[in-house]
Amino acid sequence: MPLVAVIDFETTGLSPTRGDRAIEIAVVLLEGKRVVDRFQSLMNASQRIPAFIEALTGITNNMLISAPQADSVMRDASRFVGSAPLVAHNAAFDRAFWNAELIRVGLEISHMFACTMLVSRRLYPQAPSHKLGALVDYHGLPRAGRAHRALADAEMAATLLCQIFDDLRNYYHIDHANHALLMALQRCSKPLLRVWMAKHASIACQ
DNA sequence: TGCCAGGCCCTCTTTAGGGCCTT
């Protein structure tokens, strides 16, 4: 069964194009619904963390003093991910930092990202919120440690992804949910999704 | 506290505007 890499970054801000940097990365490798490996590291990008981010993540400037250099971490993370397709919650955000940090160390950008948030908006339009924690609560899934830490968030996104795979199998009778299907589903237009659901599913599309 | 950016989505739309989500 092909591997999928669920990734999450903690960063100094929202935009790498404005100079924000990654300060922590975590990757959870899934084989089907089984976690087969994990990667997690703080990243010293020689950039001060705003107080707001320290409060949000619990990652302090002091913690990064002894952290490995960002370029070294990204080389290790890239080797860890290998050719596995990537999944993230609000993947546009993590993709921007993944690409920016890889460019900094001269590594190739080639990974396709699937997004659990976009897929969840399609599959669970009735959910009160499509934030990661809210979706985990909505499904009654276990929370994995402190929110806004990379490994905990990556674990929760992986758990959500497994829920999505379960629902695709149970409600849509798709036994071989994969990255390509997620990519298609997250880009599926609403009218097309209605047709798709009417054909395959018992869940109504609002 | 809320803004900062970017991508996506929805609608009172498409020659636009605003909300959601990520840190």
Side-chain angles (χ1 to χ4, degrees):
Chain A
M1 188 169 288
L3 291 173
V4 173
V6 183
I7 188 170
D8 187 76
F9 279 108
E10 304 306 317
T11 71
T12 62
L14 295 174
S15 174
T17 61
R18 290 173 56 91
D20 292 321
R21 296 294 306 276
I23 57 176
E24 188 179 42
I25 183 174
V27 184
V28 173
L29 276 187
L30 282 179
E31 185 177 25
K33 289 178 58 179
R34 190 166 59 96
V35 175
V36 295
D37 209 350
R38 295 173 174 85
F39 177 92
Q40 182 272 332
S41 181
L42 292 171
M43 302 168 60
N44 184 345
S46 301
Q47 183 169 335
R48 283 198 66 79
I49 307 174
F52 169 74
I53 298 297
E54 283 190 318
L56 179 71
T57 65
I59 300 171
T60 66
N61 284 290
N62 282 339
M63 290 168 66
L64 292 192
I65 292 175
S66 57
Q69 293 298 307
D71 57 353
S72 171
V73 174
M74 286 307 298
R75 288 192 181 93
D76 291 344
S78 179
R79 277 193 294 271
F80 182 82
V81 169
S83 60
L86 287 163
V87 177
H89 196 72
N90 195 10
F93 175 86
D94 293 284
R95 182 180 59 213
F97 279 94
W98 174 258
N99 290 346
E101 296 291 348
L102 286 185
I103 288 172
R104 282 180 176 273
V105 295
L107 294 176
E108 182 184 2
I109 298 169
S110 59
H111 290 89
M112 302 290 285
F113 276 74
C115 179
T116 51
M117 184 188 74
L118 294 180
V119 172
S120 292
R121 282 177 175 172
R122 294 305 192 197
L123 293 185
Y124 317 117
Q126 70 279 15
S129 165
H130 295 91
K131 294 180 181 179
L132 177 59
L135 284 165
V136 166
D137 291 342
Y138 174 75
H139 289 295
L141 302 171
R143 283 180 173 262
R146 188 192 196 284
H148 296 300
R149 286 301 300 264
L151 184 57
D153 284 359
E155 296 266 12
M156 285 198 293
T159 302
L160 174 60
L161 179 62
C162 291
Q163 179 70 47
I164 289 169
F165 284 156
D166 276 351
D167 288 339
L168 286 172
R169 183 180 63 251
N170 294 332
Y171 294 102
Y172 302 91
H173 312 299
I174 297 171
D175 287 328
H176 302 291
N178 56 31
H179 191 266
L181 175 64
L182 295 177
M183 295 285 292
L185 189 54
Q186 72 185 24
R187 291 191 170 95
C188 189
S189 69
K190 198 167 183 177
L192 185 59
L193 186 69
R194 282 201 184 91
V195 173
W196 190 78
M197 284 184 165
K199 184 176 181 182
H200 294 97
S202 57
I203 290 181
C205 176
Q206 291 181 349

